[in-house]
């Protein structure tokens, strides 16, 4: 039986991060993953991560996956794919099924990073072809280049539902509506705003009643729900869709941990192992990291994996107490940053939050319809001050853990401060050069450059643009409002791309001056519908 000092089950963000830390400390590490390629969900994620520089903010998920794989290879991690772990047995032995045989391995330490599985919601016709999970939709689009459908209903307004809805638009699909039984949008407002700008209607307090069609989805019926989440008769709406995409949460894949005999907690978020601050379960040397220990963002999963890897190395004697505590404390502090703000664990499910940490009124329209109104934005200085010349307009209105805009401006025009969840502010004593790096760096596409003095009658607006085909200089189109409604005619002035912006296109359009604080998206014939 082959023995490793550290066995990691799962080659996703948490598992790879754990393996890297163990191998860097000197451990002999093996990673087993049932999939044909490593990286877990990262290679589906074409959007940019949030957080700070140390959390890999403003870097796209698949780029982070590439970085982790390279780091694991350089550290000497042995990654074995198409390797399904069937169970964990006494004395930390595992059984692994390969293509044509089964093997047993033993580990001095085992870290389980098996991730999570998509939840489903049951309704009439839920097994009909055309009903698909959001993760499956991402796989089709971002790994295989296949549209999941042409006209899609998204069920669920958490970050997964919002991000995948935007990626569906990028893939050329139409999102007919986004619905959620909850009374308010569950994910980041900046994610919702990206979707709303292109005309996708949000229906909060709505659920799906049934999928229509004989052999495949040909429509969907939704209805409003009451305070007990029961459908209200007479509120039914028919939607002409060919695909129903479900983003209704995730459940930890803790089966092998349950088999191991460690203590399991039955929580509202699923069955998760009882762990200490370092991810160690009630069985010494058996750890859990990432979504299997509790559903969070991928950035948190990577840090959790790092902490578990450090703890395993310390337990094996590769790190002394001082080195371990120093590195673990740094990682924990980084994780604490990501767990702050209105989306912190202790705030999950709360509907009584009415103000930001700074005392600004939270946009109720954003929570109900996915976009902030012009009137509501007046409370936020960085989003509402109209000035002469080029200046940034920052429509970030929630306390989320993100600050790459501060690092992006070399001249210090944008300030977030030490508190990563603070609402960005603008230092008007510093001159904006119009370089656009803040626009390109914003993971939520919430920053715009506005030049009110482009010419005598027009203002110029620079925004992130992530749709194909790209518009060309001189092309005419329509400027869209935050709600995705036509505002005015717009002319393309330029479209810039560079390695420094990770391929993010910076689109600059000209609009009549009176619309400079309303135009927030662009559509043209042959582009976004």
């Amino acid at each position: 039986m082959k023995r490793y000092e550290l066995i990691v089950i799962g080659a996703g963000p948490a598992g790879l991060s754990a393996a890297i830390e163990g191998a860097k400390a000197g451990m002999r590490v093996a990673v087993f993953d049932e999939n044909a390629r490593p990286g877990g969900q990262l290679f589906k994620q074409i959007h940019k991560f949030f957080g700070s520089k140390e959390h890999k903010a403003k870097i796209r998920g698949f780029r982070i996956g590439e970085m982790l794989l390279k780091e694991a290879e350089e550290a000497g991690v042995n990654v074995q794919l198409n390797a399904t772990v069937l169970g964990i047995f006494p004395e930390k032995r595992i059984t692994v099924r390969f293509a044509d045989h089964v093997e047993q391995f033993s580990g001095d330490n085992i870290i389980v990073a098996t991730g999570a599985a998509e939840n489903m919601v049951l309704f009439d016709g839920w097994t009909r072809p055309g009903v698909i999970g959001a993760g499956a939709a991402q796989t089709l689009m971002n790994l295989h280049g296949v549209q999941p459908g042409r006209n899609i209903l998204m069920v669920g307004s958490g970050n997964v539902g919002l991000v995948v809805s935007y990626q569906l638009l990028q893939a050329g699909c139409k999102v007919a509506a986004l619905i959620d039984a909850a009374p308010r949008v569950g994910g980041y407002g900046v994610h919702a705003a990206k979707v709303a700008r292109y005309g996708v209607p949000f229906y909060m307090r709505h659920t799906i009643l049934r999928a229509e069609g004989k052999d495949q989805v040909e429509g969907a019926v939704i209805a409003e729900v009451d305070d007990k989440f029961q459908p209200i008769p007479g509120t039914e709406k028919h939607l002409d869709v060919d695909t129903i995409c479900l983003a209704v949460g995730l459940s930890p894949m803790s089966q092998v941990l349950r088999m191991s005999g460690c203590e399991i907690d039955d929580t509202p978020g699923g069955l998760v192992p009882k762990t200490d601050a370092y991810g160690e379960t009630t069985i010494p040397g058996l750890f859990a990291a990432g979504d299997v220990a509790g559903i969070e963002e991928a950035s948190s999963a990577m840090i959790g994996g790092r902490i578990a890897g450090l703890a395993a190395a310390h337990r094996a004697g590769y790190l002394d107490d001082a080195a371990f505590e120093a590195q673990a404390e740094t990682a924990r502090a980084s994780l604490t940053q990501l767990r702050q703000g209105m989306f912190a664990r202790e705030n999950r499910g709360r509907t009584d939050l009415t103000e930001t940490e700074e005392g600004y009124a939270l946009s109720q329209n954003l929570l109900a319809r996915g976009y902030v109104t012009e009137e509501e934005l007046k409370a936020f200085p960085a989003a509402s001050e109209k000035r002469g010349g080029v200046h940034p307009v920052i429509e970030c209105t929630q306390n989320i853990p993100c600050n790459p805009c501060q690092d992006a401006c070399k001249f210090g025009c944008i300030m977030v401060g030490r508190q990563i969840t603070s609402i960005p502010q603008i230092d008007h004593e510093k001159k904006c050069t119009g370089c656009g790096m803040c626009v390109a760096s914003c993971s939520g596409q919430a920053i715009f450059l506005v030049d009110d003095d482009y010419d005598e009658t027009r203002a110029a607006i620079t925004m992130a643009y992530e749709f194909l085909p790209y518009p060309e200089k001189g092309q005419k189109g329509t400027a869209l409002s935050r709600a995705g409604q036509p505002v005015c005619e717009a002319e393309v002035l330029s479209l810039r791309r560079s390695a420094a912006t990770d391929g993010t296109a910076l689109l600059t359009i000209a609009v009549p001056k009176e619309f400079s604080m309303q135009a927030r998206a662009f559509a043209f014939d042959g582009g976004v519908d």
Side-chain angles (χ1 to χ4, degrees):
M1 183 187 302
K2 194 172 294 185
R3 171 184 162 274
Y4 291 94
E5 292 172 298
L6 174 60
I7 289 175
V8 179
I9 303 173
L16 288 175
S17 298
I20 289 166
E21 291 300 328
K24 282 166 57 178
M27 302 180 81
R28 185 165 176 253
V29 183
V31 179
F32 297 95
D33 193 286
E34 65 183 358
N35 296 298
R37 60 182 297 179
Q41 302 300 310
L42 287 173
F43 285 94
K44 300 178 185 180
Q45 297 176 345
I46 62 174
H47 58 281
K48 297 180 178 181
F49 276 35
F50 287 74
S52 65
K53 187 176 182 179
E54 64 181 288
H55 303 118
K56 297 180 171 59
K58 77 177 183 180
I59 301 176
R60 301 183 190 278
F62 71 93
R63 301 279 190 212
I64 296 172
E66 292 169 350
M67 293 162 61
L68 286 178
L69 290 179
K70 182 179 179 182
E71 196 173 354
E73 181 181 3
E74 291 174 347
V77 175
N78 177 13
V79 179
Q80 300 191 43
L81 303 174
N82 296 308
T84 303
V85 175
L86 301 178
I88 299 175
F89 301 94
E91 299 179 1
K92 291 192 281 295
R93 292 179 294 112
I94 67 170
T95 300
V96 183
R97 184 185 68 201
F98 295 94
D100 56 359
H101 68 287
V102 173
E103 285 188 54
Q104 283 196 332
F105 300 86
S106 67
D108 298 336
N109 298 272
I110 297 177
I111 297 176
V112 178
T114 44
E118 291 189 278
N119 294 336
M120 297 297 289
V121 59
L122 306 185
F123 52 90
D124 186 14
W126 74 282
T127 60
R128 189 162 289 137
V131 179
I132 188 173
Q138 274 192 314
T139 300
L140 287 171
M141 292 186 294
N142 302 339
L143 295 184
H144 303 296
V146 176
Q147 288 181 325
R150 294 294 300 172
N151 202 4
I152 298 171
L153 167 65
M154 176 62 70
V155 181
S157 70
N159 278 336
V160 172
L162 298 173
V163 167
V164 175
S165 291
Y166 186 73
Q167 292 176 3
L168 286 165
L169 295 174
Q170 289 179 291
C173 307
K174 178 181 178 182
V175 180
L178 191 152
I179 70 170
D180 200 311
R184 55 200 292 174
V185 173
Y188 292 173
V190 288
H191 281 319
K194 291 193 302 183
V195 177
R197 282 178 209 137
Y198 291 97
V200 177
F202 283 62
Y203 294 103
M204 297 296 103
R205 297 185 183 272
H206 278 73
T207 190
I208 182 167
L209 297 182
R210 63 181 178 273
E212 297 185 324
K214 183 178 180 181
D215 299 319
Q216 63 189 48
V217 173
E218 296 176 356
V221 176
I222 64 174
E224 193 174 348
V225 298
D226 59 23
D227 291 340
K228 296 183 179 180
F229 298 103
Q230 297 302 307
I232 300 173
T235 64
E236 296 85 359
K237 302 179 184 68
H238 170 83
L239 298 175
D240 185 16
V241 297
D242 57 31
T243 305
I244 299 168
C245 193
L246 304 178
V248 290
L250 303 168
S251 293
M253 296 181 65
S254 57
Q255 293 91 332
V256 292
L257 283 164
R258 283 180 267 159
M259 181 183 291
S260 74
C262 70
E263 288 187 38
I264 300 292
D265 288 333
D266 188 356
T267 74
L271 297 171
V272 299
K274 183 176 291 185
T275 62
D276 65 12
Y278 307 106
E280 191 168 18
T281 70
T282 53
I283 296 177
L286 177 63
F287 299 81
D291 281 347
V292 73
I295 307 300
E296 291 191 86
E297 300 294 325
S299 299
S300 299
M302 288 187 285
I303 299 173
R306 285 178 53 203
I307 293 172
L310 291 168
H314 175 250
R315 183 176 183 275
Y318 284 93
L319 291 175
D320 61 29
D321 291 348
F324 168 60
E325 285 298 334
Q327 293 183 59
E329 181 56 36
T330 298
R332 279 201 300 264
S334 182
L335 187 58
T336 298
Q337 283 191 310
L338 293 176
R339 290 175 172 171
Q340 296 175 350
M342 67 176 291
F343 291 90
R345 285 180 168 183
E346 62 268 23
N347 290 329
R348 287 179 181 174
R350 289 184 61 180
T351 58
D352 60 334
L353 297 175
T354 59
E355 292 184 343
T356 69
E357 295 167 358
E358 298 82 359
Y360 303 134
L362 285 172
S363 167
Q364 296 305 304
N365 201 75
L366 175 66
L367 296 173
R369 299 179 180 85
Y371 63 94
V372 186
T373 67
E374 194 169 356
E375 185 64 28
E376 289 173 322
L377 281 172
K378 291 179 181 179
F380 297 85
S384 59
E385 292 187 359
K386 189 172 182 180
R387 302 169 60 86
V390 180
H391 60 96
V393 172
I394 307 178
E395 300 187 0
C396 181
T397 63
Q398 294 177 329
N399 297 121
I400 58 176
C402 196
N403 69 0
C405 55
Q406 179 173 260
D407 295 331
C409 184
K410 296 180 179 180
F411 301 97
C413 292
I414 299 174
M415 306 173 293
V416 175
R418 297 181 62 182
Q419 185 72 16
I420 193 175
T421 57
S422 296
I423 301 293
Q425 305 293 335
I426 297 173
D427 185 349
H428 295 300
E429 298 299 317
K430 308 291 175 59
K431 181 173 175 58
C432 174
T433 64
C435 69
M437 290 305 298
C438 59
V439 179
S441 298
C442 180
S443 303
Q445 296 185 18
I447 302 181
F448 306 84
L449 285 183
V450 176
D451 182 358
D452 292 303
D453 299 324
Y454 174 70
D455 63 25
E456 291 184 0
T457 61
R458 297 182 300 172
I461 304 171
T462 300
M463 62 190 69
Y465 191 86
E466 295 191 321
F467 297 93
L468 295 176
Y470 288 130
E472 298 178 358
K473 181 178 180 179
Q475 193 162 7
K476 299 291 180 66
T478 302
L480 304 176
S481 70
R482 298 175 185 88
Q485 299 301 310
V487 172
C488 59
E489 184 180 79
E491 178 185 349
V492 175
L493 299 178
S494 68
L495 188 136
R496 295 175 283 158
R497 295 179 69 210
S498 72
T501 63
D502 193 18
T504 300
L506 299 181
L507 174 67
T508 302
I509 60 174
V511 300
K513 286 189 175 187
E514 61 266 31
F515 298 117
S516 68
M517 298 301 282
Q518 298 175 32
R520 289 297 177 263
F522 177 78
F524 69 105
D525 292 340
V528 180
D529 293 329

